[in-house]
Amino acid sequence: MNLSSFNAIQGQNTTVQPSNQPMTLRHGQIFHGTINKIFPDQTAELQVGQQKLVAKLEVPLKVGDAQFFQVTNTGATPELKVVTGPMSPQVPLAQQMTQLLDAMNLPKTTEMQQVLGSFIKMQLPISKEQLLQAEQWLKNLPANVTKLDALHAMHKMVELKMPFTNDVFQAMTQGAKTSGMTTSMANLAQMLAQPGGNDALKANIGAQMETLAKPFNAETGGVLLARAVQTLTDVNAAVGTKLQALAALKEAGIVPANATLQNWQAAGTAQNQPASLQQPIQAGQLIQQLANSQPENSAKLLDQVRQFIASEPLLTTQQKEQMTQLMQRFSQLPQTKQTFEIFTQQLQQQMTKAFSENAQNRIFTQNEQGLTVKDHLLSLIKPDGNPTLFNNLVKVISDSPQPQMQIALTQVEAQVQNAVDGKAMEQAMKSVLKGLGVSYEAALASKAGDVSALAQQLKPQLLALMQDVQTPLPLRDAAETVLARMNGMQLLSTENGHQHQLVMQVPLEFFGKRMDATLQWNGRMKEDGKIDANFARILFYLQMESIEETMIDMQVQNRVVTINVFNDHPHLELLAEPLKQALKAGLEEKEYRLSGVFIKPFEQEQVTVSPPKPDEREGGVDIRV
């Protein structure tokens, strides 16, 4: 089975309720309806699908007549004209469609009949211009979009009253797909490598895509930094090994180019950083403030250092005791500038040693302020450093010709991989979504976050690339495809009263393995505007290298969770069994109860889209399962 679009799956697994909103008509639209009641002054009640409509007719009809109507006036009482001649209910729909095509001077192509038949079956109004546009879309579909996906997208565009434009159609068809995001990103990366266009903009986009492709790169860099620091502080390490570690830190920009084995850490402390007592504060900031203060004015700062040591969960009890003892010894000495400098250096060394040790066994642990061990460690070496330095260090080690460096990188990547848990995956997905810029417009409108940081997200950079006249056509097309996927997520994330639907596509790459992940959340909002966590339906569509196509259907009813996993792997039940208890325990921590996990194979299906046959009254889309 091919999970090409979540629309098709959703149709098999969920019941679509009719919209409670009144039917909205536009001038020139055509729809198929049946006369329910006749009122005076040529006014009638029409049945259009699940909805009823009161309108004024240009010619009298009788109850039971089924006709094609066209909107001629959209006032308080819409005015309709009959497009084809009077017909009895016994006239086959295919014959009515033929007369409609003749009356409106529309081509009788296969694509036109497929579009018209599908809109009749869905009881959706559509104009002549939209029919002609839809026919052209159906004739010129890209290879990765099926006709059924295209028709679903058109229906959604009309239902949600979206502009019937090519940009919206592309976003709807691409956004509904459950696979291919990583392929689209890879194609974009390939096009960026070709000559032509704005080189600086292409380089920025390439760097951002590299960051997105390796969401655990910063953690890898953090462990590499910890190892390098331990090498530099190890009195038994060979001088050559120390020089290699120092050279890597220099090339990554973590220590100055003139740093030596004797002053590499002192050089970081000597930078003149303004004192700041704002939270969240890093260990390196405290050391920097101590280095810049005078002993007679440091009482308040020393209290803050004591509080930091006592409350920091990223330090062990033993490490806290050692630092506290150091502060006690210092308090018993004469408070001179010299003793204060010695104390600051020793405290920095103890903190550096502690965080370099903890960086390797608490890789993904965060404190209440969201800081990690690696953040504290970097701040102790380079107080003004930023997280991109971790990526720089990984690249330096990866590009190094030294075998020892390559061995170290392989070991660290395995170490990080073994430390990955559910929380780490959550952090990675949030990081990727933020880096993509899926909510860029909303963040820009609400002025949430730094504008310069928002500009580094992928979406605004792709927009700039497409608007640049220097951009070659193949690169523009590749960027447009990726952008359409992101826009499609927003267009398909809808709300109808308290009912909400959220769609997210996340291209993930972990340790060389690529995966497409699509999430479709259906739920409701409470009166206070918050999500009702007691009831939800969540569908996960995954494309993974090992077990390939996977769909997870998670239903939450009054905080009772039932999970159906669809996959054709013959031994998945055995592989999943050891994980069920951990899943149950994890849900219980969040006050949910697991009802059961059921592994099922996909049902084979064959889906075809065809115009109505002459002897079929329903016509429209013919789906055979």
Side-chain angles (χ1 to χ4, degrees):
M1 180 177 182
N2 183 18
L3 301 179
S4 62
S5 165
F6 67 71
N7 283 310
I9 302 297
Q10 182 184 11
Q12 297 169 25
N13 291 280
T14 62
T15 302
V16 180
Q17 299 295 335
S19 172
N20 295 324
Q21 298 181 354
M23 188 174 180
T24 303
L25 297 175
R26 296 178 182 175
H27 187 273
Q29 282 184 325
I30 304 160
F31 62 90
H32 190 267
T34 303
I35 303 296
N36 274 352
K37 298 177 182 177
I38 298 293
F39 302 119
D41 196 24
Q42 292 188 195
T43 303
E45 180 188 87
L46 288 79
Q47 186 74 37
V48 183
Q50 305 254 349
Q51 299 191 8
K52 295 178 181 179
L53 170 71
V54 176
K56 187 172 183 179
L57 307 176
E58 287 188 357
V59 296
L61 295 173
K62 64 180 184 295
V63 173
D65 281 352
Q67 303 286 352
F68 286 104
F69 299 94
Q70 186 171 31
V71 182
T72 58
N73 192 313
T74 57
T77 302
E79 296 181 10
L80 309 175
K81 74 174 183 179
V82 177
V83 181
T84 56
M87 295 182 186
S88 67
Q90 286 72 38
V91 176
L93 189 56
Q95 185 177 334
Q96 294 184 45
M97 282 181 54
T98 300
Q99 291 192 25
L100 175 64
L101 294 173
D102 288 336
M104 299 191 67
N105 195 27
L106 290 167
K108 298 178 182 177
T109 62
T110 301
E111 290 79 13
M112 179 61 76
Q113 293 180 65
Q114 289 173 341
V115 172
L116 184 57
S118 71
F119 272 85
I120 292 170
K121 182 170 183 177
M122 297 298 295
Q123 296 291 343
L124 292 172
I126 187 170
S127 67
K128 178 178 179 179
E129 292 74 19
Q130 288 174 326
L131 283 169
L132 290 170
Q133 177 64 78
E135 180 202 24
Q136 291 304 309
W137 284 337
L138 220 56
K139 282 183 175 180
N140 300 286
L141 289 178
N144 64 342
V145 178
T146 68
K147 287 188 175 181
L148 188 59
D149 290 344
L151 292 171
H152 275 304
M154 296 176 203
H155 298 160
K156 206 73 175 176
M157 291 166 69
V158 171
E159 286 176 352
L160 300 178
K161 304 176 183 63
M162 296 178 182
F164 218 69
T165 63
N166 192 57
D167 287 343
V168 175
F169 176 69
Q170 282 192 6
M172 293 295 287
T173 52
Q174 296 296 332
K177 301 186 76 60
T178 59
S179 63
M181 185 70 165
T182 54
T183 303
S184 299
M185 296 281 284
N187 182 51
L188 175 60
Q190 186 178 357
M191 291 299 103
L192 287 169
Q194 301 299 317
N198 187 323
D199 289 337
L201 180 56
K202 287 166 60 178
N204 288 339
I205 294 174
Q208 178 65 7
M209 291 180 65
E210 179 76 12
T211 301
L212 294 174
K214 298 178 179 178
F216 295 138
N217 228 29
E219 283 71 25
T220 302
V223 179
L224 286 171
L225 175 60
R227 285 195 169 200
V229 168
Q230 288 184 320
T231 298
L232 290 170
T233 55
D234 184 359
V235 294
N236 297 318
V239 174
T241 305
K242 288 186 175 184
L243 289 173
Q244 281 187 1
L246 183 63
L249 296 183
K250 285 182 180 181
E251 191 174 348
I254 295 176
V255 299
N258 61 352
T260 66
L261 291 178
Q262 288 72 38
N263 70 358
W264 63 271
Q265 191 169 6
T269 308
Q271 298 176 42
N272 186 22
Q273 290 291 311
S276 172
L277 300 181
Q278 295 181 351
Q279 297 291 337
I281 194 164
Q282 298 175 345
Q285 292 175 308
L286 286 175
I287 296 297
Q288 193 65 38
Q289 291 165 20
L290 286 172
N292 293 334
S293 66
Q294 297 298 322
E296 60 271 17
N297 301 324
S298 62
K300 184 177 179 180
L301 183 55
L302 287 170
D303 286 340
Q304 187 180 6
V305 173
R306 290 189 187 93
Q307 184 181 356
F308 171 84
I309 294 171
S311 61
E312 180 52 69
L314 300 177
L315 291 171
T316 66
T317 302
Q318 183 180 4
Q319 291 165 348
K320 291 180 180 181
E321 290 175 354
Q322 291 173 348
M323 294 178 197
T324 302
Q325 290 172 5
L326 174 64
M327 295 195 71
Q328 289 174 348
R329 289 197 301 270
F330 166 70
S331 64
Q332 297 170 1
L333 296 174
Q335 303 297 296
T336 65
K337 185 176 181 180
Q338 184 180 9
T339 58
F340 197 78
E341 288 178 354
I342 294 173
F343 162 72
T344 301
Q345 292 174 4
Q346 290 180 351
L347 181 61
Q348 181 187 21
Q349 291 169 2
Q350 281 199 14
M351 285 187 170
T352 303
K353 181 176 183 294
F355 285 117
S356 65
E357 291 173 352
N358 298 351
Q360 302 193 57
N361 51 35
R362 307 181 75 177
I363 296 175
F364 292 100
T365 307
Q366 295 183 347
N367 63 16
E368 292 181 357
Q369 289 76 38
L371 295 174
T372 63
V373 177
K374 71 179 186 301
D375 297 325
H376 285 308
L377 180 60
L378 178 63
S379 72
L380 287 162
I381 301 169
K382 189 176 179 62
D384 59 344
N386 61 72
T388 59
L389 294 174
F390 295 120
N391 295 328
N392 293 353
L393 184 58
V394 174
K395 188 175 188 315
V396 168
I397 301 297
S398 178
D399 294 342
S400 173
Q402 300 293 334
Q404 298 91 331
M405 293 290 191
Q406 298 303 315
I407 293 172
L409 179 60
T410 302
Q411 291 173 344
V412 169
E413 286 181 339
Q415 195 173 344
V416 173
Q417 184 174 355
N418 291 332
V420 171
D421 56 10
K423 192 67 177 178
M425 292 294 292
E426 178 188 353
Q427 292 176 23
M429 292 185 71
K430 286 181 178 179
S431 175
V432 171
L433 284 170
K434 183 178 179 180
L436 284 172
V438 174
S439 303
Y440 167 72
E441 292 88 353
L444 200 62
S446 63
K447 298 180 181 178
D450 180 45
V451 176
S452 60
L454 290 175
Q456 296 304 310
Q457 295 177 350
L458 185 60
K459 188 173 187 178
Q461 294 194 76
L462 290 181
L463 287 169
L465 185 71
M466 292 174 61
Q467 293 167 1
D468 194 324
V469 294
Q470 302 179 50
T471 303
L473 184 58
L475 176 56
R476 190 187 306 274
D477 290 342
E480 187 177 27
T481 299
V482 174
L483 196 61
R485 303 288 294 241
M486 288 191 274
N487 287 336
M489 297 184 217
Q490 294 173 297
L491 293 176
L492 289 165
S493 298
T494 59
E495 59 180 275
N496 183 8
H498 291 301
Q499 297 298 318
H500 284 239
Q501 173 177 282
L502 176 67
V503 175
M504 292 188 297
Q505 291 185 356
V506 190
L508 299 174
E509 182 174 336
F510 299 123
F511 312 107
K513 291 185 178 293
R514 293 180 177 179
M515 177 178 70
D516 278 323
T518 301
L519 179 149
Q520 181 188 357
W521 175 87
N522 293 275
R524 63 190 187 191
M525 307 296 284
K526 296 186 291 187
E527 294 296 333
D528 59 3
K530 296 181 179 179
I531 290 175
D532 188 347
N534 297 323
F535 301 90
R537 178 87 179 273
I538 308 174
L539 299 177
F540 298 89
Y541 307 87
L542 309 173
Q543 296 284 337
M544 296 182 284
E545 287 192 9
S546 299
I547 61 175
E548 300 179 340
E549 294 175 331
T550 304
M551 186 184 80
I552 301 172
D553 183 359
M554 174 178 168
Q555 299 186 51
V556 183
Q557 293 290 329
N558 201 23
R559 303 190 78 85
V560 177
V561 180
T562 305
I563 298 176
N564 291 291
V565 180
F566 295 88
N567 185 279
D568 289 331
H569 194 287
H571 306 298
L572 193 60
E573 179 72 50
L574 294 174
L575 296 172
E577 190 60 36
L579 304 174
K580 291 181 181 179
Q581 191 58 41
L583 174 62
K584 182 179 180 180
L587 287 171
E588 287 176 351
E589 287 181 5
K590 302 295 183 181
E591 299 181 357
Y592 288 91
R593 183 166 62 87
L594 181 64
S595 171
V597 178
F598 306 96
I599 313 294
K600 303 176 182 180
F602 284 118
E603 294 181 4
Q604 296 300 314
E605 70 170 7
Q606 179 183 5
V607 181
T608 60
V609 182
S610 60
K613 299 177 182 178
D615 58 345
E616 288 180 338
R617 291 229 354 111
E618 290 301 322
V621 181
D622 174 29
I623 302 179
R624 293 193 295 271
V625 181

